[in-house]
Amino acid sequence: MQTRPRLVTSIPFWVLLVLSLASVIGGLVIVFQQIDAMQAVLNDPNATVVTVYVAQSWAIVGAALLGAGALGLVATLAVAAVVSTRPRPDTSVENLDGASDDEGFPFSAAPTVAAAATTAPAAPLVLEDADVETSSDTPAPAQAAAVAREDADEDPARG
């Protein structure tokens, strides 16, 4: 069974979220600073062409950072949505002793002991150990022999 970590404890998810937010904030800061710089330079009669074009280039870099951060935030939301639609394992709690939940408080063990004394003991559970070695003279079980015959019929090179 494959177990997946919860989204709250997933480090890549949080790294994506933090870097996306940082990119959005950094892009906004760069864009707003450069727009303010362009407005100041455009209103200045002594402005040169170089100062105007440099601010435009930096504004474009800030817009690219802003777009990358927005894309990262959309990816973060998509991951969260996909994870929330995954089926969760059943975590229901079962009452193992078979007693009903409507017993009064304080719980008394006397009825359970009396019920256990009147029931017949269960048959012992017989388990076979898979690691037990058998001799080569021991015949195979009927089902295993049938499977071996089928395999030999299908692949004569192995048999």
Side-chain angles (χ1 to χ4, degrees), residues 1-60:
M1 182 174 133
Q2 179 183 7
T3 58
R4 296 184 198 139
R6 292 180 10 194
L7 190 59
V8 175
T9 59
S10 175
I11 292 174
F13 174 78
W14 290 108
V15 168
L16 176 63
L17 180 66
V18 168
L19 290 179
S20 298
L21 286 174
S23 180
V24 165
I25 292 169
L28 283 173
V29 167
I30 291 172
V31 167
F32 286 138
Q33 283 179 350
Q34 297 309 316
I35 287 177
D36 288 342
M38 282 191 302
Q39 284 178 345
V41 170
L42 289 174
N43 292 333
D44 184 12
N46 296 329
T48 62
V49 175
V50 174
T51 56
V52 174
Y53 286 127
V54 169
Q56 286 177 354
S57 298
W58 275 107
I60 291 171

Side-chain angles (χ1 to χ4, degrees), residues 49-152:
V49 175
V50 174
T51 56
V52 174
Y53 286 127
V54 169
Q56 286 177 354
S57 298
W58 275 107
I60 291 171
V61 169
L65 281 173
L66 180 64
L71 186 62
L73 288 176
V74 168
T76 304
L77 289 174
V79 167
V82 167
V83 168
S84 68
T85 60
R86 277 191 323 205
R88 297 197 184 271
D90 186 23
T91 58
S92 63
V93 178
E94 295 181 16
N95 194 355
L96 297 178
D97 64 354
S100 65
D101 291 334
D102 58 347
E103 295 178 0
F105 187 79
F107 298 110
S108 64
T112 306
V113 172
T118 59
T119 60
L125 182 61
V126 178
L127 298 176
E128 293 183 16
D129 189 6
D131 294 335
V132 173
E133 295 182 14
T134 58
S135 67
S136 61
D137 299 345
T138 307
Q143 185 180 12
V147 170
R149 278 192 302 271
E150 289 174 11
D151 288 343

